[in-house]
Amino acid sequence: MCGIVGATSERRISEILIEGLKRLEYRGYDSAGLAVLNDNGDIELVRRVGKVQALKDAVGEQPLSGTTGIAHTRWATHGGVTEANAHPHISGNCIAVVHNGIIENHDKLRQQLQQLGYTFNSDTDTEVICHWIHHERKKHDDFFAAVQATIKHLEGAYGTLVMDCRNPGRLVVARSGSPLVIGLGIGENFVASDQLALLPVTRRFIVLEEGDMADITRTEVKVYDRDGNPVEREVHEFDGHYDAGGKGEYRHYMLKEIHEQPSAVRHALEERLTDHGLADDVFGKGSLELLKRVKHVQIVACGTSYHAGLVARYWLEALAGVSCNVEIASEFRYRTSHVHHDSLLVTISQSGETADTLAALRLSKQLGYLGSLTICNVPTSSMVRESDLAYLTRAGAEIGVASTKAFTTQLVGLLMLTLAIGQFRGMSHEQQSAVVQSLKVLPNKLEEALLLSEAIEALAPEFADKYHSLFLGRGTQYPIAMEGALKLKEISYIHAEAYAAGELKHGPLALIDAEMPVIVVAPNDELLEKLKSNVEEVRARGGIMYVFADKHAHFKSDDSMRVINVTHCDELIAPIVYTVPLQLLSYFVAIIKGTDVDQPRNLAKSVTVE
Ligand code: G6P
């Protein structure tokens, strides 16, 4: 989704802005632009459709002369992907604005501005912001006051960064619903929608709270809360572990992140387990007092994180003895739901900023839940800051749009949640120890699963000319089949559907033919025999299957079935282990299809608008 970078310094900043945008590329975007206030007090604007590289080429070898500037990567919402719609937007050659989010009342504001004589050069909602500030500027001598007056008219979600030609060396930001951080330098300060953008220039950040505005110069940062009162916000030192670094030896971030899973899980386990259970405070100080009272869990999430929730439901109900519902956040937030007695609201999110999940968390506070817990990867995110309890997945920065290590580390956290709640609800010591032992061997099992890479790469050509595919699993492997199908869709653009294998005969069997590969996840669990019957149903109809199976499951390759033996592992961690070969499959198919693996078309890493 859209990204924001801004800087005010003594040095020329166009290169810092472009490097910042490059570091935000992973979030997904379709055009990019920057505006720099040059030494003559004029705004220099450069915008390009496509990659940040195109913007960099347009700027040329020489950095632009200005020392204050703003920049943006746009993911189109209002108005097509054109240069005119790319940000920054300018009013009166003097006010420049970049904006993340959506201004919901933009139509009304646009009409009012048109009546005042403003001409619009784009189809975006953002352009109303810069004209309105320009309009307010006629009434307010002070630039900050003009932005403040404008914000009062805006409805919707926004993270906005503004520059004014009459105030060189000054930036104003406002946050409402779209994250923004201020990066603190020495004799220079920065703004970004994600701290990763600013790591080459600073490691010290202020995370703006909802409703905050800030007035930023080279030497000073003043923050005001939603009521306009000056406030001190904590300065965070960047957590080094969260730095993505480069791609290293890997061709794509996604492949690097797939291979990082054993070490990410090791890191996630550090100091969190004892021999027989959980260390104290894994979910935050005093968390056990709250978890002790939980009788029901309501999980809310989107995308891959939703699939993690679906797996957790099996664990929580079977092991922890609590009932559990799992719902997509965009559905949950807009329906009237029944709140169970002593229910814990759990959000799962890599970014901690997904608009629908965040809205569901905020809504839950009025609904009578016992409390809220987030399973999240970004320590400074809105979800972590606004939830009662937080579990950090410690996956490190995930750059590939298609989520991989964030998912497997979420599952680790959810197994720990199962332990945390289960210990109060009759989970025996043996059961708790079994979970602990399974988790401890998980990193090695993931390493073994990664050894399948070559075998899976060899299979990939068989998928590359297919238009449809079907993923089958049962029990905890059903959500893993869903996640496998999502991965294939996201990065190879092949239509992929997942079914609980037992549902096959209720519709999808009609689709089976040699042109639709059927991918089956078959660990050696209690549902194996049932799954084998489903496999026969596919075989009898001429389907071609790719079975990821435990070696003890006794599947044999033949004309209609390719068997890929996955390392033997405990049933409990099998959903985590079997995720890896499915990730690799989608990766290698995408490579053959030549797609943009790390930034697949039309998708964004962090969906901060509805
Ligand atoms: C986007 C990403 C997915 C992710 C989903 C939820 O769609 O492309 O990879 O699973 O958002 O994101 P979250 O940050 O809340 O886990």
Side-chain angles (χ1 to χ4, degrees):
M1 268 253 123
C2 306
I4 287 178
V5 187
T8 177
S9 173
E10 259 177 340
R11 52 178 165 160
R12 294 178 168 191
I13 42 77
S14 64
E15 282 173 330
I16 295 173
L17 296 179
I18 290 173
E19 172 60 21
L21 292 185
K22 271 199 163 295
R23 296 172 70 92
L24 294 180
E25 280 189 298
Y26 77 97
R27 299 170 69 93
Y29 69 102
D30 41 49
S31 50
L34 60 77
V36 171
L37 194 57
N38 72 17
D39 301 341
N40 304 324
D42 298 324
I43 291 178
E44 291 192 53
L45 176 69
V46 188
R47 299 181 293 189
R48 286 295 179 271
V49 165
K51 296 285 177 190
V52 173
Q53 187 58 44
L55 180 73
K56 189 172 177 185
D57 294 343
V59 169
E61 288 302 305
Q62 288 298 319
L64 298 176
S65 73
T67 55
T68 299
I70 63 178
H72 192 258
T73 45
R74 173 173 188 254
W75 192 80
T77 54
H78 291 70
V81 182
T82 63
E83 205 165 293
N85 287 337
H87 301 205
H89 292 283
I90 311 274
S91 185
N93 287 325
C94 193
I95 301 289
V97 168
V98 291
H99 159 234
N100 287 356
I102 292 175
I103 303 301
E104 284 165 3
N105 59 338
H106 70 100
D107 257 346
K108 193 178 112 201
L109 299 181
R110 179 183 282 253
Q111 280 168 25
Q112 292 180 30
L113 285 162
Q114 279 166 336
Q115 279 161 14
L116 289 166
Y118 284 93
T119 314
F120 281 77
N121 299 310
S122 77
D123 306 316
T124 64
D125 51 336
T126 306
E127 203 182 342
V128 300
I129 307 177
C130 63
H131 291 317
W132 205 283
I133 296 170
H134 186 270
H135 168 59
E136 291 289 346
R137 209 60 184 89
K138 294 172 194 157
K139 296 185 249 169
H140 298 273
D141 264 355
D142 181 44
F143 167 38
F144 185 82
V147 180
Q148 215 169 21
T150 302
I151 294 305
K152 296 199 171 87
H153 294 272
L154 305 181
E155 289 167 17
Y158 49 82
T160 307
L161 171 60
V162 192
M163 183 172 79
D164 176 11
C165 70
R166 282 179 284 166
N167 281 261
R170 194 169 172 202
L171 296 170
V172 174
V173 283
R175 176 196 168 150
S176 176
S178 234
L180 282 173
V181 296
I182 299 171
L184 305 173
I186 298 169
E188 54 185 5
N189 286 311
F190 309 93
V191 177
S193 49
D194 179 333
Q195 50 190 352
L196 289 181
L198 301 178
L199 292 184
V201 285
T202 185
R203 301 252 148 178
R204 295 173 65 233
F205 294 96
I206 291 172
V207 181
L208 291 181
E209 301 276 340
E210 274 300 287
D212 280 357
M213 288 184 66
D215 196 349
I216 301 165
T217 63
R218 281 198 305 106
T219 51
E220 202 176 17
V221 173
K222 292 185 200 152
V223 183
Y224 300 86
D225 69 11
R226 63 169 79 245
D227 301 319
N229 303 312
V231 278
E232 288 288 324
R233 297 281 180 230
E234 198 184 335
V235 176
H236 298 268
E237 286 292 331
F238 177 74
D239 170 4
H241 185 75
Y242 196 68
D243 192 356
K247 279 184 272 203
E249 64 190 273
Y250 296 99
R251 185 165 162 193
H252 292 99
Y253 277 107
M254 181 182 178
L255 189 61
K256 176 177 175 241
E257 287 156 8
I258 290 173
H259 281 268
E260 279 171 350
Q261 290 176 108
S263 60
V265 169
R266 273 193 194 99
H267 186 50
L269 297 179
E270 264 164 35
E271 293 174 8
R272 282 175 164 165
L273 297 178
T274 65
D275 283 348
H276 306 292
L278 275 189
D280 289 343
D281 299 337
V282 168
F283 293 90
K285 277 221 169 339
S287 52
L288 294 184
E289 283 310 306
L290 176 60
L291 295 175
K292 199 184 270 181
R293 294 160 56 203
V294 172
K295 297 203 181 93
H296 177 81
V297 175
Q298 172 67 59
I299 297 178
V300 183
C302 301
T304 289
S305 300
Y306 168 68
H307 295 154
L310 290 176
V311 176
R313 182 160 75 104
Y314 288 87
W315 292 334
L316 285 163
E317 298 214 344
L319 297 170
V322 286
S323 54
C324 174
N325 290 346
V326 190
E327 191 159 358
I328 291 165
S330 55
E331 287 298 314
F332 177 84
R333 65 180 288 198
Y334 287 120
R335 76 181 181 91
T336 308
S337 57
H338 172 73
V339 182
H340 292 247
H341 205 53
D342 292 333
S343 181
L344 177 71
L345 191 284
V346 177
T347 55
I348 308 174
S349 177
Q350 188 286 128
S351 61
E353 302 293 350
T354 301
D356 286 319
T357 313
L358 189 56
L361 167 64
R362 290 177 180 158
L363 172 76
S364 76
K365 297 185 178 182
Q366 303 142 30
L367 296 181
Y369 283 90
L370 260 189
S372 57
L373 161 70
T374 189
I375 308 275
C376 187
N377 195 34
V378 180
T380 51
S381 64
S382 302
M383 278 181 226
V384 170
R385 286 179 296 119
E386 295 183 30
S387 300
D388 299 320
L389 305 177
Y391 170 93
L392 294 176
T393 47
R394 299 184 185 163
E398 190 180 69
I399 302 296
V401 163
S403 187
T404 53
K405 61 178 180 171
F407 178 67
T408 40
T409 52
Q410 283 167 353
L411 289 173
V412 168
L414 289 160
L415 260 182
M416 291 197 200
L417 180 65
T418 305
L419 277 176
I421 295 177
Q423 65 185 322
F424 301 116
R425 303 197 54 82
M427 198 172 172
S428 68
H429 287 300
E430 290 70 32
Q431 280 177 316
Q432 291 183 48
S433 296
V435 176
V436 170
Q437 295 323 316
S438 293
L439 279 171
K440 284 186 173 167
V441 298
L442 179 58
N444 291 346
K445 290 292 165 190
L446 292 173
E447 265 158 13
E448 286 167 29
L450 284 167
L451 298 176
L452 292 171
S453 191
E454 263 181 45
I456 294 171
E457 187 172 6
L459 284 184
E462 298 178 29
F463 289 77
D465 63 341
K466 299 291 188 285
Y467 293 98
H468 306 280
S469 60
L470 186 62
F471 285 68
L472 299 178
R474 299 189 78 126
T476 50
Q477 296 291 349
Y478 169 39
I480 298 308
M482 294 169 81
E483 175 56 12
L486 178 63
K487 286 286 93 75
L488 194 67
K489 257 184 282 208
E490 283 177 312
I491 62 168
S492 77
Y493 315 151
I494 293 174
H495 170 223
E497 251 191 284
Y499 257 86
E503 270 293 289
L504 202 53
K505 52 182 112 31
H506 299 293
L509 262 190
L511 299 172
I512 302 292
D513 65 17
E515 285 312 301
M516 186 168 78
V518 179
I519 298 98
V520 184
V521 243
N524 190 12
D525 60 18
E526 56 181 24
L527 293 169
L528 182 61
E529 291 312 314
K530 304 264 176 223
L531 187 70
K532 283 187 170 172
S533 309
N534 304 133
V535 164
E536 290 313 315
E537 290 164 2
V538 176
R539 191 201 300 279
R541 283 149 188 96
I544 304 293
M545 283 169 290
Y546 298 82
V547 183
F548 291 90
D550 187 292
K551 62 179 178 210
H552 303 310
H554 303 300
F555 283 96
K556 285 211 167 41
S557 290
D558 57 27
D559 288 350
S560 60
M561 185 154 77
R562 300 282 294 268
V563 179
I564 305 96
N565 281 319
V566 181
T567 178
H568 176 69
C569 64
D570 188 274
E571 204 179 304
L572 194 65
I573 54 167
I576 311 179
V577 174
Y578 279 69
T579 297
V580 173
L582 299 187
Q583 293 167 343
L584 288 167
L585 179 67
S586 62
Y587 176 77
F588 288 119
V589 174
I591 290 293
I592 295 174
K593 296 201 70 180
T595 61
D596 191 347
V597 171
D598 284 335
Q599 293 158 41
R601 67 184 182 201
N602 305 337
L603 299 181
K605 178 79 188 152
S606 180
V607 181
T608 48
V609 296
E610 267 193 67

